[in-house]
Amino acid sequence: MIIAIDGPAGSGKSTTSKLVAKKLGIAHLDTGSMYRAVTAYFIDNNYSIKNADIDAIMKFIDIEISNEVVFLNGEDVTNKLRDQKVSSLVSDISSLQKVRSKMVELQRKISLNKSIVIDGRDIGTVVFPGAEFKFFITASIEARASRRFDELKTLNPDITLDGILKQIERRDHYDSTRANSPLKKALDAIIIDTTRLSIDEQVNMILETINNKQ
């Protein structure tokens, strides 16, 4: 069983997906962390999008995720994923077709022969268009910025709510207009607006939908 949960930055999809998976006793995959891991790899190796041989780089990329710990080529990179530099570059890196192709390949490999909740931006449209359940989680940009600010302020005291809001605005525009696998709702996905919902309410709405259809 594949449960695809898509949505924009800060919508709560990752937290919700993780809890849905826990309640159902199945696996969870946060695909956003995979793109962040690749972005961290580019930064650590001083690769330029314009000049680097993306195809050659991606041939040597391998990602494994165990208990929400992200391993890139065997190295635990979890603590790097929310770095501001990673956040500012991840849209550029994730828009590259060769990067996306490799990540889709890995996502399908990780999900093979198991029941899993997968969250991202193109799960229901590209990675698993035949998923048994598809949800599109969204929220107002103000709510999403506030959530992301609360999540990051202890890690980075220099960030501001206004800065986060502008970053999310840019990411929304970039993700929804990019040529390769843009962020969009699958035609058969159920929309859940989380602006005024608690995490528990989001989780329960998804669980009720799944349980009613099984």
Side-chain angles (χ1 to χ4, degrees):
M1 175 176 66
I2 301 291
I3 301 171
I5 300 182
D6 291 308
S11 58
K13 63 183 180 296
S14 294
T15 302
T16 297
S17 298
K18 191 185 303 183
L19 289 172
V20 168
K22 185 177 180 179
K23 293 277 189 181
L24 293 172
I26 62 177
H28 168 248
L29 177 60
D30 171 6
T31 63
S33 66
M34 299 174 71
Y35 287 101
R36 285 177 173 272
V38 173
T39 302
Y41 185 78
F42 270 71
I43 293 170
D44 288 346
N45 291 279
N46 294 313
Y47 289 136
S48 165
I49 295 177
K50 293 181 179 179
N51 302 321
D53 185 341
I54 308 299
D55 192 41
I57 292 170
M58 296 314 296
K59 284 180 180 177
F60 293 97
I61 289 286
D62 187 47
I63 296 175
E64 295 181 2
I65 302 178
S66 177
N67 296 321
E68 308 301 332
V69 178
V70 181
F71 295 92
L72 174 66
N73 295 341
E75 178 190 356
D76 180 356
V77 295
T78 311
N79 290 335
K80 297 180 179 181
L81 303 186
R82 291 298 173 184
D83 182 84
Q84 277 298 98
K85 195 167 185 180
V86 170
S87 294
S88 66
L89 291 175
V90 67
S91 284
D92 292 329
I93 300 297
S94 62
S95 70
L96 300 172
Q97 182 58 51
K98 290 176 181 177
V99 172
R100 299 205 73 84
S101 294
K102 178 69 174 189
M103 292 301 100
V104 170
E105 175 190 322
L106 288 174
Q107 288 155 20
R108 289 173 176 165
K109 178 183 176 182
I110 291 170
S111 306
L112 191 64
N113 298 324
K114 66 177 69 169
S115 289
I116 190 168
V117 181
I118 312 174
D119 68 82
R121 286 170 171 75
D122 62 349
I123 309 305
T125 55
V126 175
V127 185
F128 288 108
E132 289 90 335
F133 298 96
K134 298 179 187 179
F135 299 91
F136 190 87
I137 294 183
T138 187
S140 70
I141 191 167
E142 292 81 9
R144 291 188 283 130
S146 179
R147 292 169 186 169
R148 185 56 56 85
F149 178 69
D150 288 341
E151 175 188 352
L152 298 176
K153 63 184 178 183
T154 55
L155 297 174
N156 185 355
D158 294 329
I159 65 170
T160 64
L161 179 58
D162 185 59
I164 293 291
L165 191 145
K166 288 178 179 176
Q167 185 181 82
I168 289 178
E169 282 182 332
R170 288 194 298 271
R171 181 104 198 248
D172 282 354
H173 176 74
Y174 199 93
D175 287 349
S176 60
T177 59
R178 68 187 178 212
N180 300 316
S181 303
L183 167 69
K184 63 179 180 180
K185 184 187 83 69
L187 293 177
D188 52 346
I190 297 170
I191 298 176
I192 298 179
D193 188 329
T194 69
T195 303
R196 293 179 175 81
L197 295 179
S198 67
I199 292 295
D200 286 342
E201 287 171 328
Q202 298 171 40
V203 170
N204 288 336
M205 286 180 71
I206 290 174
L207 291 174
E208 284 176 11
T209 300
I210 294 170
N211 290 332
N212 287 338
K213 289 188 177 181
Q214 286 184 316

